[in-house]
Amino acid sequence: MDLFLQTLLNGLLIGGVIATFTIAFQLAFGVLHVIDFAVGGWVVLGGYLGYYITAWLGLDGFLAIPLAFVLFGALGYLIGPVLYNVRNSRTARPELMALALSFGLFTLLRGGMLTAWGFNTRNVTTALSGESLAIGPVTVPLIRVVAAVFAAAIAGGLFLFLYRTRYGLAIRATAENRHNAALMGVNIGRLSANVYGLYAGITAMAGVLMGAIYSVNPEVGLRYTLFAFFVAVLAGLGSVEGALVAALLLGVIEAFVSTYVGASYSLLAIFTTLFLVLLISPRGILRRGL
Amino acid sequence: MAPIDRSFSRRRFLGGSAMAVTAGALGMPFVRTARAQAATFKAGVITSLSGENILGGNLTKQGYDLWADAINAKGGVEVAGDRFKVEMFYGDDQSSPATGADAAERLIVQNGVDVLFGPYTSGSTIAVQPICQKYQVPMISGSAESPNVWKAKPEFNFGIIPAVDTTSGLSLGVLAKLSKPAAKTVAVISVNEPFSKETGEGFRDGAKAAGLELATYELVPPEGDLTPIISKIAALNPDIVAVGGHEEVLINVVKTSKSLNYRPKALIMHYGITNPAFAQALGADADGTTGVVVWLPTVAYKDDVFGTAKDFAQMAQKKLGGEPDYTAAACAASGLVLGDALKRLGKKPALTPENRVALKDAIAETDIQTFYGPIKFEKDGPHYHDNIQPVPVLVQIQGGKTVAVGPKEAAAADYIYPLPAWK
């Protein structure tokens, strides 16, 4: 029973960790209509910022979180319009062109990081690194709790922003129908830049947490891109609230399969779940995706 | 008699230039022939000089070059009373096995090398072996550690480092002897990828030979979260946790274990802890981690070319600016094998195809002592043509430094067992 409870907690916390970067990924897809392969690149960049804050300045890795938002948010704001223009160009298959561009951006980020920082694996140290809390028979890793709370806060904040503000209304309107939104006076180009900036900033913040929970090297970006894609498909493309549910579900499946069946079957279990959900509900687990 | 016109004209200038270029071009082959008269043994190095394995690729190249520099400084390889220098040629496998095979073919066909020094990765080595077989060119591999390289029974390839299944397996026996009170159980985690899985299988099989009970054997995907596995192992509470994986997984095992407040009495990993980045990434949490190496600068071996292991380490430090690891040492020792085989063969360069086959047979008969340790290749079985002579040395991170702790004759410090609880 102890192991069962620990496994359940592990799964929910893994889900929380995955949700940190998949929520913003969904937002970017909803507005830009691009599956951004660069997501793993932004996560890793955030992780490296966390590492250098610790290694060079001797500060707590958590201090990199707001800095990651500002720095990579600004970079995303500059890149966003390029992606937007390619996605809405008059070429035959603009969606494929945008996909290729995001893949190119990912390759560029990965290659740039390899050249700049090499292949070695780095670690982000925070005040909570390795700290845990014993609640009865269950051990709770505190840094994962922080990541789960962070994901919930980002999801809640985005939800409020999207449904309680005029700008959020504009974003939803753009996601719903770009042309009609433009006719109503929404500056689609600037809005896309803002949304991509917001997404890149949030993802890089999540990257600091990922670096603190796991470790960071330029090669791990692909893993995060894959997970974001899994969650997005399970959640329904563009569904922010679905991302939270899907991430938690995947986390719990991974934990239980790893503990009770064998870790080498966890990916198979995830793929099977993905397949079944697509079969039963193609618009995602909450039936709210595109 | 008409006066000779020595004035400058465009026609004369062009004519003169053309003649000079023609004469130069005609003369070049003679210059080349004159240079080529100083016979050398040509050795080709195939390794990763670009791509994701560039760091390891350079380690192998540096090791091979250290031998070439050392032997050339002595006038070259001794053959029948004369000395012949060694000329190195390089082929980049770009961290891809298929490109490695192409590079090997190019070195053999275009550069006409007499012998090859093998790649950094086992995958590339496996891809190059058929090329060696096709052209009947011997290869000495100073790095490949996968048992699959030798299971293929390569006629022309020879390995200096013992396959990882032997070293990881034997290391558990060494650890079990050092542990007080004696360790009884072991849990093995291995990443589901070729090298790591073979390491894990070595630990799994070695447990039995060491008299340890296998609590669990967990195969994990490279991208998986380790929390469920560590939770499961914590519930089983084995004395030793052995991990087959590269640096990133090793770091994550330590971090996840600490976050779950679980520490086994011993944590052993085969590869990665000797990379300074491991201790740097984990800081004090890396302390106590045990690793396995097949060579250290402190081992008590020596030879005529490099001197003692310490002399070799100093030479490498001077040329490379850092302490050499066992891969660089094994690659340098590959050259010693070649030098010894050429001396016994007694054939001067360039080697004929028949002599290259004879060189392969001479390498197979190697039985020498080097600064790296004893070298003698297996003549049969699953480790065919691999040098499984070296006994693995256990190292442990103590106070941020990697020190030898076992077996007793190689130990520089006491082994810390059991590990204390996390601070």
Side-chain angles (χ1 to χ4, degrees):
Chain A
M1 191 61 193
D2 293 354
L3 186 60
F4 181 87
L5 286 176
Q6 182 72 52
T7 305
L8 182 66
L9 178 81
N10 287 342
L12 291 172
L13 291 180
I14 295 166
V17 170
I18 298 170
T20 53
F21 59 92
T22 49
I23 290 168
F25 178 81
Q26 291 286 67
L27 179 71
F29 178 84
V31 173
L32 292 165
H33 290 240
V34 177
I35 295 171
D36 186 26
F37 278 121
V39 60
W42 295 114
V43 173
V44 176
L45 277 173
Y48 269 104
L49 184 72
Y51 165 73
Y52 282 111
I53 286 279
T54 317
W56 283 2
L57 304 178
L59 299 173
D60 192 287
F62 280 146
L63 289 173
I65 292 179
L67 194 61
F69 183 75
V70 175
L71 207 64
F72 296 112
L75 197 59
Y77 180 82
L78 297 175
I79 293 171
V82 181
L83 205 59
Y84 170 78
N85 285 326
V86 171
R87 177 66 184 84
N88 296 295
S89 60
R90 291 178 185 276
T91 50
R93 300 295 296 271
E95 67 278 13
L96 282 182
M97 292 286 286
L99 204 67
L101 178 71
S102 81
F103 191 73
L105 179 62
F106 174 71
T107 311
L108 202 69
L109 289 176
R110 177 183 163 273
M113 287 187 279
L114 279 173
T115 307
W117 302 314
F119 289 88
N120 280 336
T121 301
R122 316 283 186 183
N123 182 30
V124 180
T125 314
T126 73
L128 294 181
S129 292
E131 295 293 321
S132 60
L133 201 66
I135 303 176
V138 177
T139 308
V140 186
L142 288 182
I143 192 125
R144 291 185 183 230
V145 175
V146 169
V149 170
F150 172 83
I154 292 293
L158 275 181
F159 199 77
L160 285 176
F161 176 61
L162 291 174
Y163 287 92
R164 293 279 184 274
T165 65
R166 268 183 77 80
Y167 204 75
L169 182 68
I171 291 174
R172 284 188 293 128
T174 309
E176 194 77 29
N177 190 312
R178 187 181 302 115
H179 297 292
N180 286 351
L183 287 173
M184 292 295 125
V186 177
N187 184 338
I188 309 286
R190 182 173 294 172
L191 183 134
S192 300
N194 283 334
V195 166
Y196 197 82
L198 187 67
Y199 146 74
I202 292 174
T203 310
M205 282 201 288
V208 180
L209 289 167
M210 302 306 279
I213 294 167
Y214 303 108
S215 53
V216 61
N217 70 55
E219 299 291 344
V220 297
L222 184 65
R223 184 184 313 170
Y224 296 129
T225 295
L226 275 180
F227 263 103
F229 186 65
F230 287 168
V231 171
V233 173
L234 194 63
L237 286 167
S239 168
V240 172
E241 56 274 36
L244 195 60
V245 177
L248 290 175
L249 181 69
L250 285 189
V252 170
I253 290 171
E254 186 182 354
F256 274 94
V257 171
S258 294
T259 305
Y260 291 103
V261 185
S264 47
Y265 294 100
S266 59
L267 266 184
L268 179 70
I270 287 171
F271 273 121
T272 309
T273 311
L274 212 61
F275 180 73
L276 289 176
V277 169
L278 275 177
L279 208 64
I280 298 162
S281 173
R283 288 181 63 204
I285 205 156
L286 299 181
R287 302 186 179 216
R288 289 185 193 170
L290 295 174
Chain B
M1 193 176 178
I4 299 168
D5 183 6
R6 295 188 184 277
S7 63
F8 181 84
S9 78
R10 185 170 165 272
R11 181 178 292 178
R12 278 190 182 190
F13 172 74
L14 289 175
S17 301
M19 277 181 71
V21 169
T22 311
L26 285 172
M28 284 302 270
F30 301 111
V31 173
R32 275 190 184 176
T33 310
R35 275 187 191 163
Q37 277 172 351
T40 56
F41 284 113
K42 292 181 177 180
V45 176
I46 313 144
T47 198
S48 307
L49 300 175
S50 60
E52 61 183 15
N53 298 315
I54 186 171
L55 288 181
N58 272 318
L59 272 184
T60 52
K61 179 181 177 293
Q62 287 165 352
Y64 296 135
D65 285 350
L66 280 171
W67 170 74
D69 292 349
I71 200 74
N72 285 341
K74 286 180 180 290
V77 176
E78 191 187 337
V79 177
D82 289 328
R83 283 191 175 267
F84 299 91
K85 290 201 171 182
V86 178
E87 199 178 348
M88 303 293 266
F89 295 84
Y90 305 98
D92 181 9
D93 71 13
Q94 297 171 25
S95 302
S96 145
T99 313
D102 291 344
E105 194 150 16
R106 208 164 42 245
L107 285 171
I108 295 168
V109 175
Q110 290 183 10
N111 300 107
V113 296
D114 301 305
V115 65
L116 287 168
F117 286 121
Y120 172 63
T121 63
S122 298
S124 221
T125 309
I126 290 169
V128 170
Q129 281 178 170
I131 305 297
C132 297
Q133 185 76 39
K134 180 180 168 188
Y135 292 99
Q136 311 264 291
V137 173
M139 177 161 81
I140 307 169
S141 295
S143 170
E145 285 188 71
S146 165
N148 288 332
V149 173
W150 316 112
K151 275 178 194 158
K153 295 206 179 283
E155 191 186 348
F156 281 80
N157 187 21
F158 301 85
I160 305 298
I161 297 181
V164 70
D165 57 335
T166 65
T167 48
S168 63
L170 287 173
S171 66
L172 277 186
V174 178
L175 198 160
K177 274 187 192 161
L178 289 174
S179 59
K180 280 179 193 147
K184 289 191 176 74
T185 52
V186 58
V188 179
I189 305 171
S190 86
V191 177
N192 200 357
E193 59 184 18
F195 176 83
S196 306
K197 197 177 165 191
E198 287 149 5
T199 310
E201 285 168 354
F203 279 130
R204 185 191 60 190
D205 300 340
K208 197 178 169 189
L212 295 163
E213 185 195 330
L214 186 70
T216 181
Y217 175 68
E218 297 288 340
L219 207 54
V220 301
E223 57 285 302
D225 185 276
L226 293 169
T227 328
I229 301 301
I230 302 292
S231 297
K232 185 178 173 179
I233 289 175
L236 293 167
N237 198 24
D239 294 329
I240 305 168
V241 172
V243 183
H246 285 98
E247 186 187 312
E248 188 203 343
V249 171
L250 311 185
I251 289 171
N252 289 336
V253 164
V254 174
K255 288 181 79 170
T256 309
S257 300
K258 191 179 179 191
S259 76
L260 291 168
N261 198 25
Y262 166 67
R263 202 171 205 198
K265 293 190 182 88
L267 176 65
I268 180 167
M269 301 164 169
H270 179 278
Y271 183 83
I273 86 154
T274 48
N275 180 348
F278 179 80
Q280 277 167 18
L282 288 171
D285 291 345
D287 271 6
T289 313
T290 312
V292 186
V293 296
V294 289
W295 179 85
L296 278 175
T298 48
V299 293
Y301 300 124
K302 63 178 179 179
D303 60 67
D304 294 339
V305 177
F306 289 113
T308 62
K310 199 175 168 189
D311 292 338
F312 170 78
Q314 281 170 351
M315 176 190 169
Q317 179 98 29
K318 209 171 155 187
K319 291 207 170 182
L320 313 176
E323 193 169 87
D325 77 340
Y326 71 83
T327 300
C331 289
S334 305
L336 297 174
V337 170
L338 176 63
D340 171 67
L342 284 170
K343 191 175 175 182
R344 281 186 282 114
L345 182 69
K347 303 289 182 189
K348 295 176 180 177
L351 297 182
T352 61
E354 295 76 30
N355 286 342
R356 288 203 299 255
V357 175
L359 175 64
K360 176 260 298 179
D361 295 332
I363 294 171
E365 296 303 321
T366 301
D367 188 357
I368 55 171
Q369 292 291 330
T370 70
F371 77 93
Y372 166 82
I375 300 178
K376 188 178 176 182
F377 301 109
E378 288 294 288
K379 293 193 168 161
D380 210 350
H383 297 104
Y384 180 76
H385 276 187
D386 187 19
N387 170 38
I388 58 167
Q389 302 293 319
V391 176
V393 176
L394 283 198
V395 291
Q396 188 174 37
I397 298 181
Q398 295 183 357
K401 288 184 180 165
T402 308
V403 291
V405 290
K408 275 181 183 164
E409 52 274 23
D414 288 336
Y415 185 48
I416 299 171
Y417 180 96
L419 295 174
W422 293 111
K423 282 175 189 167

